[in-house]
Amino acid sequence: MATVELEAANRSGDADTLATFKEIYNKLKEELLSDHAVEFTDESLQWIDHMVDYNVLGGKCNRGLSVIDSYKILKGVDVLNHEEMFLACTLGWCIEWLQAYLLVHDDIMDNSLTRRGKPCWFRVPQVGLIAINDGMILRCHVSRILQRHFKGKPYYVDLIDFFNEIEFKTTSGQFLDLITSHEGDKDLTKYNMKIYRLIARYKTSYYSFYLPVACALLLAGENLDNFTGVKNILVEMGTHYQIQDDYLDAFGDPEFIGKIGTDIEDYKCSWLVVQALECANEAQKRILSENYGKSDPACVARVKDLYKDLNLEEVFRGYEMNSYNKLITGIEAETNKDIQNVLKSFLFKIYKRNK
């Protein structure tokens, strides 16, 4: 059984929580490999074992760990009992499994090179487009984990419905992203802040920010309909996160952030190109039109040079500070102190991140 590797050095979680989280991953994976719903061969089981480790592990696991952190805050305790901890960790891993499925397919659609410091799964020798089916298996795992450990809980149906809803929103965001930057219809005039924010909201915000907190709320016996304001703050926080991601795609160190940015080559509707279009003169817009969306390193360099000429690094720093202040104002308007603490814990993890 592979050892779980978590990038814990940059996270303030305690060692006991991380150790328990690792143990529960191994338990959940072992249950899936022992699932008798399908008669797998030894070869196929070895493939799934490796595939799950390769794609579910290797990230920061902030989404999954945030379920535990949020649940502790909502319950007002530093230590959860054995069952509470197990259920919180299991939901956390369900989110990590869901993300793995989304990233496997996202990397294929974007023709990406690396993910988490290693080749994308579909680029691994002998994998190729088998990765499409592997992604579907990862998504099916989420449903089977939920069924095994939450069926009979009063919130089970809500969990199933919620994961389905989040998956729909996220894949719809991916669709908006893909259709806006369609290879056969390259048109920078379609790129504006309205469409950008729609893509960021649906592709990133719901599953990365709202889903972990909603899982904690459901575990705590809460009705999600009572937390619309919390959802809105978390969705806006997710947009903040996506803008950071777009900035790092162009200006981050690939060795440090764990992937090679390809937004320029992929003709993505990124925050940086939208900002550039809003402030560029006609000559600068021609540079964008002639070079954006091309894989030639010289074209990519010209776009990045233009970003620097337009001082977009400083524009980003200004956005980051203003967004942070607005989020803090919204959080502090929440009357429930526990909810405030949950939201602040999320914000403090991402503010001024560099990877």
Side-chain angles (χ1 to χ4, degrees), residues 83-96:
E83 181 183 8
E84 290 170 337
M85 188 65 174
F86 178 81
L87 293 177
C89 287
T90 298
L91 281 183
W93 280 118
C94 282
I95 296 174
E96 295 297 328

Side-chain angles (χ1 to χ4, degrees), residues 248-298:
L248 292 172
D249 186 273
F251 294 108
D253 181 348
E255 292 188 6
F256 191 64
I257 64 177
K259 63 179 180 178
I260 299 170
T262 59
D263 283 358
I264 294 172
E265 296 94 318
D266 295 337
Y267 207 76
K268 286 294 183 182
C269 181
S270 81
W271 184 83
L272 288 170
V273 76
V274 170
Q275 290 292 329
L277 288 167
E278 287 185 353
C279 60
N281 59 36
E282 291 305 313
Q284 291 168 327
K285 287 180 180 179
R286 280 196 298 274
I287 293 174
L288 274 178
S289 178
E290 292 168 1
N291 294 280
Y292 200 74
K294 296 181 179 178
S295 57
D296 183 346

Side-chain angles (χ1 to χ4, degrees), residues 19 50 57 68 80 100 113 117 176 182 206 209 212 220 289 299:
H50 175 57
L57 304 181
I68 306 165
L80 299 169
L113 299 174
L176 286 169
H182 194 274
Y206 281 98
F209 287 83
S289 178
C299 295

Side-chain angles (χ1 to χ4, degrees), residues 71 74-75 154-155 158-159 210 213-227 336 338-339:
Y71 190 37
L74 291 171
K75 288 187 68 66
Y155 50 83
D158 291 331
L159 269 179
Y210 183 43
V213 174
C215 283
L217 288 167
L218 288 170
L219 277 175
E222 298 288 354
N223 185 334
L224 296 183
D225 292 339
N226 298 329
F227 294 91
N336 186 311
D338 290 337
I339 291 295

Side-chain angles (χ1 to χ4, degrees), residues 98-99 101-103 105-106 109 135-136 139 163-180 198-208 268:
L98 178 68
Q99 184 192 28
Y101 143 67
L102 293 167
L103 294 182
H105 284 186
D106 186 72
M109 287 181 276
M136 296 169 68
R139 177 59 182 93
F163 268 86
N164 288 339
E165 182 70 13
I166 293 299
E167 181 187 8
F168 173 66
K169 282 181 163 55
T170 306
T171 53
S172 295
Q174 174 72 347
F175 168 73
L176 286 169
D177 188 11
L178 292 168
I179 206 71
T180 301
L198 282 174
I199 293 169
R201 180 194 310 167
Y202 291 111
K203 186 176 177 179
T204 300
S205 297
Y206 281 98
Y207 95 91
S208 294
K268 286 294 183 182

Side-chain angles (χ1 to χ4, degrees), residues 103-165:
L103 294 182
V104 165
H105 284 186
D106 186 72
D107 287 340
I108 295 169
M109 287 181 276
D110 289 347
N111 199 31
S112 298
L113 299 174
T114 60
R115 171 70 64 179
R116 295 169 173 171
K118 57 189 180 183
C120 296
W121 178 241
F122 80 99
R123 293 191 177 276
V124 173
Q126 298 183 332
V127 176
L129 294 184
I130 295 174
I132 296 172
N133 196 70
D134 287 339
M136 296 169 68
I137 288 175
L138 290 168
R139 177 59 182 93
C140 290
H141 282 174
V142 176
S143 298
R144 299 196 73 76
I145 292 170
L146 291 174
Q147 182 185 55
R148 180 185 295 269
H149 295 290
F150 293 91
K151 192 171 183 178
K153 301 289 184 186
Y155 50 83
Y156 173 64
V157 173
D158 291 331
L159 269 179
I160 295 294
D161 286 347
F162 191 65
F163 268 86
N164 288 339
E165 182 70 13

